[in-house]
Amino acid sequence: MADVRPESMERITTEALAKTFIEEQVAAVREQVGNKKVLLALSGGVDSSVVAALLIKAIGKQLVCVHVNHGLLRKGEPEQVIEVFKNQMDANLIYIDATDRFLDKLAGVAEPEKKRKIIGEEFIRVFEEEARKLEDVDFLAQGTIYPDILESGPVKAHHNVGGLPEDIHFEGLVEPIKLLFKDEVRVIGRALGLPSEMVDRQPFPGPGLGVRCTGAITRDRLEAVRESDAILREEFKNAGLEGKVWQYFTVVPDYKSVGVKNNLRSFEWPCIIRAVNTVDAMTATVEEVPYAVFDKIVSRITAEVPGINRVLYDLTPKPTGTIEWE
Ligand code: XMP
């Protein structure tokens, strides 16, 4: 497949068009790989999930999916990957909990670009080690999409977790969705029967919660990010904001302020809420969240998340802020 989308290629907007695309790709993948094995780093994000579902349809257990949990995933994510792909689709899935390994490497590292670099590199190392253990894997599948090919010069080291293992030789790459735009990938995912929480989920950076636990990551503060994020997502869903707001999450910075809890002085972290809308992530505006929704979120986060005594809302558009804090 060429790297340029032909002008004649119709935009995939309907289930019927998706079905045709799926049939064509299933045939193309079978033709490309024959009876050989294909390896895929399955993060649980939209792109890798759609590639996994497509390849399971095409070649079943010849696909080996590796899901690396770097300890920086959102609450419930690794469980969902296992449930959907292993339990429901009967995929050949290897699950690796590498949390300790990543957090040990990240201990004491406060500089954002260094954190991103460590996470990206460690991911490749873990993936490579797994690949080496498997015998006779000839192809590497990737969830490359068209904007990845078109994109140029980002502000941050946007290396997606899941880069190419450098010193393992593969016979070829399998990139069945590389000419598709994101909305088309979602249409394909739906047609393949993936759950809406996977197909319609908001963007999530490769370095995960690591860039939302600012400065040097500690386990207790990382847990505060994970728990507050889960509460925010739940309350946005209850308020009908899910699918309406482009991206929303919490950040827990590495400094504390004085407060009162149960009539006692507390000295704890603040939790910052970010909720933005954008078309292409190059610029972004801040969502006008109703105060009643905030009220609920503030009471739940301060009551349920250990270590948090304040909740703040980030009112900054991009520019001057970026969407993420690191
Ligand atoms: P910023 O923070 O640069 O983010 O305004 C723009 C969009 O990109 C996401 N983001 C990433 N996505 N790998 C990714 O796949 C990354 O390393 C990464 N860093 C930021 C961010 O969540 C937002 O949607």
Side-chain angles (χ1 to χ4, degrees), residues 157-229:
H158 270 205
H159 36 236
N160 257 330
V161 165
L164 263 183
E166 285 143 20
D167 49 346
I168 296 186
H169 179 72
F170 289 98
E171 188 177 321
L173 284 179
V174 179
E175 296 180 300
I177 58 170
K178 76 172 175 186
L179 295 184
L180 302 187
F181 289 101
K182 198 77 176 196
D183 55 309
E184 298 179 296
V185 177
R186 294 191 209 277
V187 178
I188 303 291
R190 261 174 237 124
L192 285 165
L194 288 174
S196 164
E197 306 94 78
M198 223 163 217
V199 174
D200 298 311
R201 64 182 225 165
Q202 46 169 322
F204 187 60
L209 302 180
V211 292
R212 299 174 182 172
C213 185
T214 70
I217 298 169
T218 57
R219 286 175 192 254
D220 49 359
R221 202 155 47 83
L222 183 59
E223 257 340 277
V225 180
R226 196 176 343 255
E227 289 302 319
S228 55
D229 171 75

Side-chain angles (χ1 to χ4, degrees), residues 116-298:
R116 279 171 179 273
K117 199 155 177 266
I118 290 173
I119 297 166
E121 282 178 3
E122 196 58 17
F123 188 91
I124 295 172
R125 292 292 90 74
V126 174
F127 187 63
E128 262 174 5
E129 283 171 24
E130 262 339 282
R132 238 180 254 116
K133 281 187 217 160
L134 300 164
E135 278 164 28
D136 66 2
V137 175
D138 298 282
F139 289 88
L140 181 72
Q142 288 199 306
T144 314
I145 65 170
Y146 206 42
D148 298 332
I149 295 174
L150 300 177
E151 232 157 56
S152 57
V155 178
K156 297 171 189 174
H158 270 205
H159 36 236
N160 257 330
V161 165
L164 263 183
E166 285 143 20
D167 49 346
I168 296 186
H169 179 72
F170 289 98
E171 188 177 321
L173 284 179
V174 179
E175 296 180 300
I177 58 170
K178 76 172 175 186
L179 295 184
L180 302 187
F181 289 101
K182 198 77 176 196
D183 55 309
E184 298 179 296
V185 177
R186 294 191 209 277
V187 178
I188 303 291
R190 261 174 237 124
L192 285 165
L194 288 174
S196 164
E197 306 94 78
M198 223 163 217
V199 174
D200 298 311
R201 64 182 225 165
Q202 46 169 322
F204 187 60
L209 302 180
V211 292
R212 299 174 182 172
C213 185
T214 70
I217 298 169
T218 57
R219 286 175 192 254
D220 49 359
R221 202 155 47 83
L222 183 59
E223 257 340 277
V225 180
R226 196 176 343 255
E227 289 302 319
S228 55
D229 171 75
I231 292 172
L232 181 77
R233 285 192 284 142
E234 203 178 308
E235 291 305 327
F236 264 44
K237 186 173 183 177
N238 292 341
L241 294 171
E242 190 189 47
K244 213 188 126 236
V245 182
W246 197 78
Q247 196 172 10
Y248 44 94
F249 54 86
T250 60
V251 174
V252 180
D254 58 347
Y255 51 81
K256 295 182 173 180
S257 75
V258 175
V260 230
K261 252 188 188 176
N262 308 319
N263 294 324
L264 291 173
R265 177 188 186 275
S266 71
F267 187 53
E268 296 179 315
W269 305 299
C271 170
I272 299 152
I273 297 172
R274 186 108 172 103
V276 296
N277 290 305
T278 177
V279 176
D280 56 8
M282 301 302 284
T283 62
T285 55
V286 176
E287 172 72 14
E288 286 187 32
V289 178
Y291 257 85
V293 179
F294 275 144
D295 268 349
K296 184 87 195 284
I297 293 169
V298 172

Side-chain angles (χ1 to χ4, degrees), residues 66-119:
V66 178
H67 179 56
V68 177
N69 178 0
H70 54 19
L72 307 166
L73 297 172
R74 287 174 292 192
K75 191 170 178 171
E77 276 185 327
E79 292 81 1
Q80 189 187 36
V81 169
I82 292 167
E83 172 57 29
V84 170
F85 291 100
K86 201 172 182 95
N87 300 349
Q88 293 174 19
M89 295 193 176
D90 196 25
N92 201 345
L93 173 73
I94 299 170
Y95 170 67
I96 302 161
D97 184 354
T99 302
D100 289 341
R101 192 170 158 166
F102 278 83
L103 294 188
D104 288 351
K105 273 257 147 101
L106 287 163
V109 181
E111 213 276 305
E113 292 297 288
K114 221 182 242 170
K115 287 167 68 179
R116 279 171 179 273
K117 199 155 177 266
I118 290 173
I119 297 166

